[in-house]
Amino acid sequence: MHTVVVGTSGVSAADVVAVARANARIELSEEAVAALASARAVVDALAAKPEPVYGVSTGFGALATRHISQELRAQLQRNIVRSHAAGMGPRVEREVVRALMFLRLKTVCSGHTGVRPEVARTMADVLNAGITPVVHEYGSLGCSGDLAPLSHCALTLMGEGDAEGPDGVVAPAGELLAAHGITPVELREKEGLALLNGTDGMLGMLVMALADLENLYKSADVTAALSLEALLGTEKVLAPELHAIRPHPGQGASAANMLAVLKGSELTGHHQDDAPRVQDAYSVRCAPQVAGAGRDTMAHARLVAERELASAVDNPVVLPDGRVESNGNFHGAPVAYVLDFLAIAAADLGSIAERRTDRLLDKNRSHGLPPFLADDAGVDSGLMIAQYTQAALVSEMKRLAVPASADSIPSSAMQEDHVSMGWSAARKLRTAIDNLTRIVAVELYAATRGIELREGLMPAPASRAVIDAVRAAGVQGPGPDRFLAPDLAAADAFVRGGHLVAAVEPVTGPLA
């Protein structure tokens, strides 16, 4: 099993995905343990002094003006976790919770939080045991940390609340810890606060979204090329010299991918057979421009994620010179903005894919394909309602593209009077990515059928490889009407699992 070693300088996106999705084992570096002990010594020294220090010997948020006596401080830390574990709604996915906990552990190990080494070790032990706290959909405003989600995780460390075991069964957290030989933590000064105060949930979802979108943007380049081919379009618009004079990197990459897929096709460049068609429609001709802009958006989001992965987000923080200072680094705006930006780009990618699908099904615009790609149009409806399903998904994508980060709702008696809503941005982006996968799958289904209906013309070798692979995966080709939902589900699984890209690359080489 892959092992991720957590040090003081952050983690990589690959580390997050490995822990969240592949159950990678976690170890703490000696450097991290030393940094934890050093920062804890600073907090212990401050706790012994009579002067109040926020998070160490005071209340929290709007209650920060109260100085808490030493005999009540352990209770204070327990209480903040219990009271903040106030989430509601459906359970959040296991991979999100694992990413959330792992990224909180990453910040704890930075040596800027003042948490004891034994607390960090317990966090690693819980993740390594496959224990997943029950976290709910609602409870984070994306500011002062993903508070309720992180609190439910901290509650598990205390042996309270519910969690899911490695067998997928939900049980009391205390029982699960005992079954795996893990001793619940007894929180001390600042530790409860340090476990709650971070952008970890929204960051974890951003990292996984970028991994998913990398596959989807490559897949969308492939399906766009297949649609161009099925529509007898021209590949001349993909020439590198055309994209060099508008040098957006993503645009050039998408055009190169499409050109690689179409190499050797007998179906492209038939405009001379259809006199009124001088140029392809925008949804075909401008595919690299739209997908490329989304790719460039991803590049910016990846930069933000990398910076956040190298950050220590907590309040207050222990600085290298021994000071403990309050700050606003927990505000989720940098992450929230790119989460929203990605949802906008994904919605547009889904929209243009749907327009190509609709064109494939319309006998007046498909340049010779049968209506709705049906076997016997009128008797058969073909893919008519598959496009309805795709259109419904696109419509929801447009609603999901409305930014969450443009909203703010004051909380904590106006102490926390401007929030990022980054958690909400991340949650809707996950739905958008699910929808985009289905939209690309429907285009794949229509485009491969359209190519097969072009009798007497050979598709590109890469296209032939896709058709063979997708048929082997259970997605049937042209023929009389049948129960379509299983075909669409198989196409969805084919795209979602990365099999579309895997089918192409042995022919084209690695796609950009």
Side-chain angles (χ1 to χ4, degrees), residues 118-129:
E118 48 264 49
V119 176
R121 289 193 185 99
T122 302
M123 296 172 76
D125 289 344
V126 168
L127 284 165
N128 288 338

Side-chain angles (χ1 to χ4, degrees), residues 488-503:
L488 296 177
D492 174 41
F494 189 75
V495 173
R496 194 177 299 271
H499 305 299
L500 175 54
V501 176

Side-chain angles (χ1 to χ4, degrees), residues 7-27:
T8 60
S9 57
V11 296
S12 70
D15 290 337
V16 177
V17 175
V19 171
R21 292 179 165 170
N23 300 314
R25 184 169 182 80
I26 300 162
E27 294 180 2

